[in-house]
């Protein structure tokens, strides 16, 4: 029986959520997942659909979510379903929902310099299965200043030289009850998601969150 993944996309169009959903669906299908792609948060209210999932990939920037939509999502992950995503689709979603932010493990708060900042993403360990062989790489995009949960495990960072040389998490993992949570702050638009390094980080994160790695 193939693993099941649910991608739910929407919110602010500037992050190209439909294009990112197509990219992620392709990655997951290559890994043998049966993928359901939805553009409505009401999918989280479908008990049978949620119960069948091994992985949920939210791609929803800002916006609002009703309690009847959010509670099943939180409970499904807490019960053991994985969740994985990137940037605004996951860590700048539903800004009023602190329990959602608690599950994710971080929240976007700023991108000093806006788009086009050149910066490095640095792996924290050469032996980490989620990052091994990818190596440090440069990005020209928004550089994300995050508020993060101290309980996360950090797998990659970037340095804000103008803010006291702060090392800011870029890739992290954590748990939410029995569920695994993977987040990569990269992914302002589809071209950043499609970078080989970003896409490989996401592929590994999907598999880890779904307990296939």
């Amino acid at each position: 029986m193939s693993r099941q993944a649910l991608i739910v996309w929407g919110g602010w169009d500037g992050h190209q959520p439909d294009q990112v959903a197509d990219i992620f669906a392709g990655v997951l299908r290559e890994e043998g997942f049966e993928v359901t792609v939805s553009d409505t948060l009401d999918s989280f209210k479908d008990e049978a659909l949620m119960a069948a999932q091994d992985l949920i990939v939210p791609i929803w920037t800002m916006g609002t979510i009703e309690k009847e939509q959010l509670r099943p999502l939180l409970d499904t992950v807490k019960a053991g379903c994985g969740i994985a995503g990137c940037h605004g689709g996951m860590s700048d979603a539903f800004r009023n929902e602190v329990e959602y932010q608690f599950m994710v493990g971080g929240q976007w708060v700023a991108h000093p310099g806006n788009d086009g900042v050149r910066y490095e993403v640095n792996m924290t360990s050469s032996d980490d299965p989620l990052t091994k062989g990818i190596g440090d790489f440069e990005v020209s995009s928004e550089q994300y200043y995050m508020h993060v949960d101290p309980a996360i495990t950090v797998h990659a960072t970037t340095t804000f030289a103008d803010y006291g040389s702060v090392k800011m998490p870029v890739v992290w993992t954590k748990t939410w009850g029995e569920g695994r949570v993977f987040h990569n702050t990269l992914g302002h638009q589809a071209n950043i998601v499609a970078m080989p390094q970003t896409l490989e980080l996401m592929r590994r994160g999907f598999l880890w969150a779904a307990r296939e790695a």
Side-chain angles (χ1 to χ4, degrees), residues 12 66 77 95 120 171 201:
W12 183 55
E66 302 298 325
V77 177
R95 292 179 181 178
E120 267 201 354
V171 178
L201 287 167

Side-chain angles (χ1 to χ4, degrees), residues 38-151:
S38 168
D39 64 357
T40 173
L41 297 173
D42 280 341
S43 294
F44 297 144
K45 295 163 59 177
D46 186 328
E47 293 183 12
L49 178 67
M50 294 295 279
Q53 300 310 308
D54 299 290
L55 177 67
I56 295 168
V57 181
I59 310 174
W60 202 287
T61 301
M62 296 181 279
T64 57
I65 186 169
E66 302 298 325
K67 292 192 183 336
E68 295 79 9
Q69 298 164 330
L70 177 59
R71 178 48 52 193
L73 171 62
L74 297 172
D75 290 347
T76 298
V77 177
K78 190 169 284 188
C81 179
I83 187 169
C86 70
H87 182 44
M90 188 166 166
S91 62
D92 184 20
F94 321 130
R95 292 179 181 178
N96 293 327
E97 301 297 340
V98 293
E99 195 171 3
Y100 178 81
Q101 296 167 23
F102 189 11
M103 175 182 68
V104 171
Q107 173 68 18
W108 171 85
V109 292
H111 42 60
N114 298 315
D115 202 1
V117 175
R118 299 194 74 84
Y119 62 95
E120 267 201 354
V121 176
N122 306 113
M123 306 302 115
T124 59
S125 170
S126 60
D127 296 325
D128 184 344
L130 283 173
T131 60
K132 187 174 183 178
I134 294 175
D136 299 345
F137 61 97
E138 189 176 77
V139 180
S140 178
S141 183
E142 296 174 337
Q143 187 180 27
Y144 300 114
Y145 205 100
M146 312 294 294
H147 284 176
V148 295
D149 180 349

Side-chain angles (χ1 to χ4, degrees), residues 131-205:
T131 60
K132 187 174 183 178
I134 294 175
D136 299 345
F137 61 97
E138 189 176 77
V139 180
S140 178
S141 183
E142 296 174 337
Q143 187 180 27
Y144 300 114
Y145 205 100
M146 312 294 294
H147 284 176
V148 295
D149 180 349
I152 63 175
T153 297
V154 179
H155 303 272
T157 65
T158 186
T159 300
F160 280 83
D162 294 337
Y163 293 82
S165 296
V166 170
K167 284 187 180 293
M168 186 61 58
V170 173
V171 178
W172 70 72
T173 55
K174 62 168 291 188
T175 55
W176 179 253
E178 298 299 315
R180 290 183 172 188
V181 180
F182 173 90
H183 186 62
N184 180 357
T185 68
L186 296 173
H188 173 54
Q189 291 185 326
N191 65 319
I192 301 299
V193 171
M195 288 177 61
Q197 299 95 330
T198 308
L199 211 54
E200 180 61 16
L201 287 167
M202 294 308 304
R203 185 188 71 81
R204 295 184 193 185

Side-chain angles (χ1 to χ4, degrees), residues 2-9 21-22 24-26 28-29 32-40 42-44 46 48-59:
S2 63
R3 303 287 257 173
Q4 302 291 314
L6 171 64
I7 296 173
V8 178
W9 68 269
D22 286 344
F24 286 167
L28 288 164
R29 288 177 179 129
F33 283 81
E34 185 174 322
V35 182
T36 300
V37 180
S38 168
D39 64 357
T40 173
D42 280 341
S43 294
F44 297 144
D46 186 328
L49 178 67
M50 294 295 279
Q53 300 310 308
D54 299 290
L55 177 67
I56 295 168
V57 181
I59 310 174

